[in-house]
Structures are given as C-alpha cells and as structure tokens.
Amino acid sequence: MAVSAASLGAVVAGDCTRFAVRAAAPVTLCLFDGTGERQVPMVPDGDGIWRARVPGVGAGQRYGYRCASDPAKLLVDPYAIILDRPFVHDPRLGLPGVETGALVPRAIVPSPLPLPDELSPPLFAPGGLIYELNVRGFTMLHPDIAEAQRGTIAALAHPAIIAHLRSLRVDAIELMPIVAWIDERHLPPLGLSNAWGYNPVVPMALDPRLAPGGVAELRETVAALRAAGIGVILDLVFNHNGESDVHGPTLALRGLEPSLYFAHAPDGTLINDTGTGNTLDCARPEVRQMILDALRHFTALGVDGFRFDLATVLARGPGFSPTAPIFHEIAADPLLATRVMIAEPWDIGPGGYQLGNFPHGWLEWNDRFRDDVRRFWRGDVGAGVLATRLAGSDDIFGREGTRTVNFVAAHDGFTLADTVAYAERHNQANGEENRDGHGDNHSWNNGVEGPSDDPAVRAARDADRRALLGTLFASRGTILLTAGDEIGRTQQGNNNAYAQDNPIGWVDWAGRDQALEAHVAALAQARATAGLGDPAPYPDPRWYDLAGMPMTDAAWADADGFVLQTRGAAVRVDRRTRMVRIDNTGGTSV
C-alpha cells in the first residue's frame, strides 16, 4: 500500500517550498530569519485554501501565518510537524488586536519524510497487554537513564526500559499525548503546569520537550521497541484544542477559521462537550480530513494504532452515531484500516456515554470493569457482577467476542496503590481546594487514610493490590496496566495529577516494590500460558462455588467468589482470603 503525504502544510518541492492552509479570510505567510519577519501574500484556490510557492526556501525554514481577521496574531500551521519551541501561556495570547509574534512558536519546514511503500502489521492484537505511560513522568526518575535524556521519547528505547517492559510481557505501550500542548490559563498563576498533554494546539507537531530530536526521535524509538516485540499506540486528542473557551488564546484554528473547526450552538456560542470550553466539529469534512491526515502521518512512522480521548466527539453530528462518517473513512483507508483503534467511549455532552456502541473492530475502554472490580473487592457487590466483567462483559459487548479494554486504574483517577490506601481524594496540590477530580472512586483505605506503618494495614493493602491485579490479568479481552502500578506507585492520594509535573506525578523507581513487580511478571506469564487474553468467549466454561460445587443462579448474588474452569486455565477468586489464583494446563500457577 502506498503512503501519501497530506496536501496541506509546508512541503519542500525541489528548490522551493509550497505552503497551503485553510482559512476564512486572507492569509499572509510569515517567514522568520534571525529576528526579522518576511511576509508573503497567499493566494486562494477557490476551495477555502490559501497557497504560496516560495523559491529558495527549504527544510529548516521557520514560518507562521497571519490572518486578515486579526493580523496581530501569529498563527501556527495546523499541519505543522516541527515547532522551534514549546507553547507557553501568556494572557496576551487571548487579547484581540494585541501582537503575539514574540509569544508563539514557529513551525519549521520539515525535510521530506521518507514514506514506506509497505508497513508491517501491528504487533499488538486484541487481547494483549497495553502499558499506559506518560513519557516524562515515566522516565524522569529512572536511575539508569542519563539525566539529559530523561523525560524524552528517546528514553523509552533505553535497554533498562525495554527489559522492564519485556519482563511484564507488554504487547504495546500507550503513550499519553506527545503532541505540543499549552497550559490551561489557570495553571501558571498557581505555579503549576500541564503534565499530561491533554491540551494540544495542533495535531501533528511533537512537543519539543518530549522529542528534542523531532520526528526522527519518535520513529527511531518506535523501531527500537518494535525490534523488541513491543508495539506503540498513541493517545491522541481530537475532541478539543488548547485554544479553550472564548477567553482562551488565539494560536491556530481559532485565528484561521473558528466557525469551521469548532462546534457552535445556534446562538453562536461554543459548544462544550469536553469540559475544556471548545469542541472540534467532527461533522465537518475539513475537520475529519485534518484528523485522518494526522493518523496517516503517525502511521507512516510505524505506530500500531491510536487511543482516542473522549472519542464520542468523533461521531457527533450533532448527536453520537455508530455509523458516523469518520468510522467509514477510517475503515475505507487502506493504511488506517490496518491499525488498532481504541475509544474512550464517553464525553460530558448529551448522550455522551457510549460504552459498547463503537463500530466492530474498535476496542473500548471499559470503566464498568474498573468500577465493578473495585466494588467487588470492597464488598459492595457479589461474585456474579465480577464474573460478568471477568468473562469479557458480554452484557455490553455481546457473546460473540469482546472488544473490552479492562483496567483497574488508569492515568485519570487513583493509582492502584492509592485505591486501597485512600477513601477520599486529596488534590489540594492542584490549587482548586480539592474540588477537582472524581469524587466517587470506589476506593477504600483499610482503616487508615494515607500512609501507614501498621503491619496489618500494610499487609491488607498488599493483598488488595494483588487481588485487583490478579483480577485484571485473569480477565477476558485486552487489559491495560498503567505505568508504575506494578511497583506500587503512589500519587499521595491525588486522583487528578494532570498538573503535577513533579514527584507526585513521576514514577518513583528507587522506591519500587520489587515483590509486587515480580508478582505482576508472574501474572503476565500465567495469563499468556493459560490463553486468557483471547477476545473470543471462553471455550466450554464451567463455574463452581468456592466449595467446588457447580454454581447455581441463586448463589451468584451473595457469593464471595467462584472457580472458573475453561480450556487451558482455571481461575479461583476468593474475597474471603483476598486471593486470585490462575492455574494453567502447563502445571504452573500464581
């Protein structure tokens, strides 16, 4: 299959560069050399795209745009691949008519990207283990990585990182957003910054803080991981951008054509289905083209697939539809149809919770699994609820096969360790008087809120962590483990650490729980040899109560556990002893 470059953006062609951008009003191309700015008028082509062909300009040229609607605002190319510096929030960015040329990063004309004629199929397949990580937080404290490389994408290719991933039998790492983002405007006055990246400005430009080596750094890291048998999935944000609400900064899309890129209510106000103040209008073909071009760009770098943040927005037009155009366009694309697609199947808009309603072939984050597993081990529900989740949530995904992505903890919410050590959130460090983050986490503290030196409390928490992890690894379908949960990572009770680019949000490798780490490695081995990850229904499942008698319908509601026997494996879940045991036909157990 041939991979083609997008028609928009900056493309080197011989001894010149062609620039193309979509905008509602006349656009001026701005070329930067040293401290000077050279302006080149662009010409409309009749399809809403403005173009310029500039001889003598090649790769490495810094550039931006100014639009006649507010020429004081320097704008970043939505198709930028490289930026010369990160975005930094400044109140002047949101003030109409105020010059921002010194505040906005310049895009850099990229060298022609060698595009493969063929791409290898994804290494990751449904049923595998996804390891979710924040590039910066995962590597900032790793003792084996040179300080200069910590916090970068290149650090993920370090032999120590690859060895750790292989010990857990990770099939693919899922990178939290790596494209350039900007801090929400309330963070700088608090002395905080966005640590997660879920506030991107344009969809393809890597954040220079994470990828100082640019596109090559990502491609080389992906290749190194692939050589070790580990795929890469990118977490992308196509539901909003960092220009926020009406008071937000003008950086790119807002300055070019806000009525096209953003969804508006009939009275002209911005629709807010994301909690960020603006929502991309994926019902518009121009917006979908930008999304598809971004997916093609990253696919050409060798990634296995994508996880879509607040994915319900992708299919709003204005309501959610499982037959929305973007699903057909992805399926019809010979390149994208080969990639793994994962939805976070909810947003805060009307009818926003759509778990189980994405197209065949799409995987979906299953928060019902997280909540019901926690509720079972906390003692809120009986074994029948847990068995349904363990078997692939056929009440949600049907009986022919599951598309679930099971997790017991993720980046958003308590860490695994904090789930059994805190009954309440402790987000005071976020500067919002502990009002942010989820209020109901189905968590428990084993009698003491927060850290404890009591041996009984510590032992109970360790048993609970092992029980939660055992349930995850015994479950049918794809599973997701968040980086550091296998070594006892804590965020000190903060369940919304998006603004904690500091030890609260970083993985503490020096304090790793090596016994828990070894247990998780054993769980991963047991899962693999028992064939539990197959998305297909269990072959010939037989359910027994904890005394070994066939489970009856009446017994499920109040049962404290069960034994599942199926071809290749037996799983025993016992809430009374806080134990999950996985046995396989090879004679090993954990």
Side-chain angles (χ1 to χ4, degrees):
M1 68 191 71
V3 181
S4 60
S7 60
L8 297 171
V11 179
V12 176
D15 63 351
C16 71
T17 297
R18 298 195 300 261
F19 298 87
V21 64
R22 192 184 305 279
V27 181
T28 298
L29 169 66
C30 305
L31 303 175
F32 296 92
D33 294 296
T35 59
E37 177 180 335
R38 172 189 170 198
Q39 296 192 346
V40 179
M42 303 186 77
V43 178
D45 68 359
D47 292 323
I49 297 175
W50 297 77
R51 301 183 184 276
R53 179 180 178 277
V54 186
V57 168
Q61 173 68 53
R62 297 184 302 150
Y63 74 98
Y65 297 120
R66 295 184 187 271
C67 197
S69 55
D70 188 348
K73 298 301 181 193
L74 183 68
L75 306 174
V76 175
D77 185 355
Y79 277 66
I81 304 285
I82 311 169
L83 300 179
D84 68 349
R85 58 186 184 273
F87 288 97
V88 176
H89 192 274
D90 188 293
R92 290 172 288 177
L93 294 169
L95 299 176
V98 175
E99 173 61 36
T100 60
L103 306 175
V104 176
R106 281 80 161 121
I108 298 176
V109 175
S111 299
L113 182 66
L115 299 176
D117 291 328
E118 298 287 338
L119 286 174
S120 300
L123 290 174
F124 178 81
L129 167 59
I130 298 173
Y131 188 79
E132 182 196 36
L133 64 86
N134 175 278
V135 170
R136 184 168 167 82
F138 183 59
T139 59
M140 281 298 292
L141 298 178
H142 200 291
D144 294 333
I145 299 173
E147 287 192 24
Q149 196 179 56
R150 293 178 187 175
T152 69
I153 291 171
L156 301 178
H158 191 281
I161 297 296
I162 290 178
H164 181 71
L165 298 174
R166 286 176 61 88
S167 74
L168 301 176
R169 302 181 71 100
V170 169
D171 294 292
I173 59 173
E174 181 177 294
L175 305 186
M176 289 166 62
I178 59 174
V179 301
W181 69 86
I182 189 167
D183 291 337
E184 293 83 351
R185 64 177 177 272
H186 72 281
L187 292 180
L190 296 172
L192 299 172
S193 61
N194 188 311
W196 285 356
Y198 289 98
N199 205 36
V201 178
V202 293
M204 288 181 251
L206 300 178
D207 195 286
R209 293 166 291 191
L210 301 184
V215 174
E217 180 170 339
L218 176 60
R219 181 170 48 195
E220 291 164 6
T221 299
V222 169
L225 288 163
R226 188 175 186 87
I230 301 165
V232 175
I233 295 169
L234 300 185
D235 189 343
L236 298 178
V237 181
F238 294 129
N239 54 73
H240 78 285
N241 88 336
E243 290 170 295
S244 187
D245 58 23
V246 67
H247 302 295
T250 296
L251 299 166
L253 306 183
R254 169 167 290 152
L256 291 167
E257 194 164 356
S259 62
L260 185 153
Y261 290 107
F262 300 117
H264 290 76
D267 63 1
T269 58
L270 285 165
I271 288 175
N272 183 18
D273 288 336
T274 62
T276 60
N278 61 359
T279 300
L280 287 181
D281 189 356
C282 296
R284 299 293 299 263
E286 300 88 349
V287 174
R288 296 199 305 274
Q289 179 190 348
M290 181 177 68
I291 293 172
L292 295 170
D293 285 339
L295 297 180
R296 294 184 189 105
H297 166 70
F298 286 119
T299 297
L301 300 178
V303 303
D304 282 33
F306 308 97
R307 182 261 190 189
F308 298 91
D309 182 64
L310 300 182
T312 305
V313 170
L314 293 175
R316 281 192 182 278
F320 174 86
S321 172
T323 60
I326 196 163
F327 297 138
H328 295 293
E329 291 161 352
I330 289 174
D333 187 289
L335 183 64
L336 300 182
T338 67
R339 302 298 100 179
V340 178
M341 301 291 168
I342 305 173
E344 182 185 38
W346 52 76
D347 63 25
I348 65 169
Y353 190 76
Q354 294 293 334
L355 178 64
N357 293 328
F358 278 72
H360 175 76
W362 280 61
L363 301 178
E364 301 183 36
W365 271 35
N366 187 354
D367 62 330
R368 292 275 301 278
F369 181 94
R370 175 199 63 198
D371 293 349
D372 286 345
V373 169
R374 291 184 182 186
R375 291 168 66 220
F376 172 79
W377 289 108
R378 194 170 72 167
D380 299 342
V381 298
V385 172
L386 183 69
T388 298
R389 298 290 158 253
L390 194 79
S393 298
D394 62 5
D395 58 332
I396 298 170
F397 298 103
R399 297 182 180 275
E400 295 183 0
T402 185
R403 299 184 292 107
T404 186
V405 176
N406 296 328
F407 60 100
V408 292
H411 71 271
D412 188 8
F414 279 137
T415 68
L416 175 74
D418 289 352
T419 297
V420 300
Y422 294 89
E424 305 293 338
R425 64 192 174 193
H426 295 267
N427 297 352
Q428 289 82 0
N430 294 353
E432 299 182 45
E433 299 180 352
N434 206 33
R435 294 189 302 266
D436 63 305
H438 297 296
D440 185 7
N441 299 274
H442 306 294
S443 62
W444 62 100
N445 62 18
N446 280 286
V448 177
E449 187 74 356
S452 174
D453 293 327
D454 186 324
V457 172
R458 294 169 68 92
R461 290 175 177 176
D462 184 59
D464 286 343
R465 289 185 301 177
R466 291 172 181 242
L468 288 164
L469 287 164
T471 310
L472 176 67
F473 277 83
S475 65
R476 204 66 167 168
T478 300
I479 63 173
L480 180 139
L481 179 68
T482 296
D485 279 352
E486 75 281 10
I487 60 174
R489 178 180 69 104
T490 178
Q491 291 177 170
Q492 303 171 28
N494 192 318
N495 75 348
N496 189 32
Y498 79 102
Q500 301 302 320
D501 185 14
N502 53 50
I504 291 176
W506 298 346
V507 174
D508 178 13
W509 291 96
R512 66 204 292 176
D513 184 331
Q514 294 182 331
L516 183 64
E517 183 178 356
H519 180 70
V520 175
L523 286 172
Q525 174 68 21
R527 175 179 174 83
T529 54
L532 291 170
D534 192 334
Y538 288 121
D540 306 318
R542 299 178 299 282
W543 301 88
Y544 301 92
D545 64 21
L546 293 174
M549 301 299 293
M551 185 67 84
T552 65
D553 290 342
W556 277 113
D558 298 323
D560 280 319
F562 53 80
V563 176
L564 163 66
Q565 289 189 352
T566 185
R567 191 181 311 157
V571 177
R572 180 180 178 89
V573 176
D574 190 341
R575 183 161 56 191
R576 301 166 305 180
T577 59
R578 320 301 285 176
M579 185 191 75
V580 176
R581 181 183 179 92
I582 304 173
D583 296 285
N584 61 63
T585 54
T588 60
S589 64
V590 61

